[in-house]
Amino acid sequence: DAGVTQSPTHLIKTRGQQVTLRCSPKSGHDTVSWYQQALGQGPQFIFQYYEEEERQRGNFPDRFSGHQFPNYSSELNVNALWLGDSALYLCASSQLRGATGELFFGEGSRLTVL
Amino acid sequence: DAKTTQPNSMESNEEEPVHLPCNHSTISGTDYIHWYRQLPSQGPEYVIHGLTSNVNNRMASLAIAEDRKSSTLILHRATLRDAAVYYCILKRRGGADGLTFGKGTHLIIQP
C-alpha cells in the first residue's frame, strides 16, 4: 500500500516564477492538506481540500492556491515566487471522518527560490 | 488555537527510557493531545494521541496529567532511530482543522 507520494522531490525556481507541486494521497483517504516548512521551523498549515473544494486555509496569501481532483490527488500552486517561499512543502492525507484524525505525510518537495 | 510549550532539545542514551514533556495550560475540553515526530529528511509521522486517559501503542506511551494542562510522551527504550523532532499538538475533537505545529523538541540519542 503506497503512502503519500509527492513530486517533484527537489526543484529550483527564480523570483517571479510560478511552481506546481503534486500529491497523491494514501489509498482510501479523501482529504489532502498542504504545509510549508521553513528551515529549522515546524510545518505551517497552508490549506486543506476535501471533495475538490478548499475547506480551510491558514495564514497564507492568495499567491498560494490549490486544486483537488476527483481521484483525491492534489496540486499546490504558488505564483510570483519570492525568496521567502524557499521551503519544504509537505502534503498530508487523511480521512475526514476518520476516528483518529491521524495525518499521513509525504516526504515533501524541497523548493529553492533564487 | 491553544498553544503548547516544549523544551527545545533533550538528550538521552540509547536503550534508556525518554520522557518528553509538553505544557498546554490553555487546553479546552474538546482538544485532543497529538504527538508527531519528524525524522531527518522525512515528513512528520503520527506517534500517538489521547484525550484524558493514558494511552499506549507500539511506538510510545502518552501520560496525561489529571488537569490536562500537561502531558508526557514516553519512549520506553530509545534507539538511535528515535532521534527526531517531536511535536506536541492540540487538535479539536471532531474538527478537520489544520494542525498547528510549534518548533518541537529535538531529541538526541547518544549511543
Side-chain angles (χ1 to χ4, degrees):
Chain A
D1 175 26
V4 178
T5 58
Q6 294 187 240
S7 64
T9 55
H10 294 82
L11 69 167
I12 300 173
K13 293 286 187 178
T14 57
R15 282 174 291 178
Q17 285 190 313
Q18 177 263 344
V19 67
T20 298
L21 308 178
R22 295 175 178 82
C23 172
S24 293
K26 182 177 168 64
S27 177
H29 285 185
D30 55 14
T31 303
V32 173
S33 303
W34 287 91
Y35 289 78
Q36 180 195 65
Q37 186 173 25
L39 206 58
Q41 304 295 315
Q44 300 298 305
F45 174 69
I46 303 175
F47 43 51
Q48 179 189 80
Y49 276 84
Y50 172 69
E51 291 186 333
E52 303 179 48
E53 289 189 13
E54 183 183 298
R55 298 290 174 166
Q56 190 188 19
R57 189 179 185 93
N59 188 25
F60 280 81
D62 292 344
R63 297 187 298 110
F64 289 78
S65 64
H67 189 78
Q68 186 179 33
F69 299 94
N71 66 353
Y72 307 116
S73 67
S74 176
E75 288 182 350
L76 165 66
N77 299 293
V78 186
N79 293 323
L81 288 167
W82 69 294
L83 299 180
D85 295 328
S86 295
L88 180 68
Y89 288 85
L90 295 160
C91 171
S93 73
S94 60
Q95 291 178 310
L96 190 69
R97 309 297 176 197
T100 67
E102 175 185 349
L103 297 186
F104 288 79
F105 285 83
E107 295 195 352
S109 295
R110 172 75 60 187
L111 171 65
T112 302
V113 182
L114 302 178
Chain B
D1 291 332
K3 296 283 190 265
T4 62
T5 304
Q6 300 177 252
N8 289 333
S9 66
M10 291 184 63
E11 201 166 308
S12 183
N13 295 319
E14 197 176 9
E15 298 188 6
E16 290 185 357
V18 179
H19 288 66
L20 295 164
C22 180
N23 287 321
H24 28 79
S25 59
T26 60
I27 190 171
S28 75
T30 57
D31 286 337
Y32 277 89
I33 302 158
H34 283 241
W35 284 82
Y36 281 76
R37 72 178 185 180
Q38 188 170 20
L39 279 65
S41 301
Q42 294 190 21
E45 172 188 33
Y46 168 82
V47 178
I48 200 168
H49 81 284
L51 184 62
T52 56
S53 304
N54 294 344
V55 184
N56 300 298
N57 66 19
R58 64 175 179 81
M59 289 182 69
S61 295
L62 177 60
I64 301 172
E66 199 167 331
D67 64 5
R68 301 211 323 128
K69 293 184 185 298
S70 65
S71 61
T72 302
L73 179 71
I74 302 166
L75 307 179
H76 294 284
R77 200 162 164 266
T79 69
L80 295 178
R81 292 177 56 192
D82 291 320
V85 178
Y86 287 78
Y87 298 98
C88 169
I89 300 164
L90 302 182
K91 186 177 186 299
R92 185 166 54 94
R93 177 167 52 188
D97 308 331
L99 298 181
T100 300
F101 287 80
K103 288 190 176 182
T105 296
H106 183 200
L107 177 62
I108 300 164
I109 304 295
Q110 298 288 356

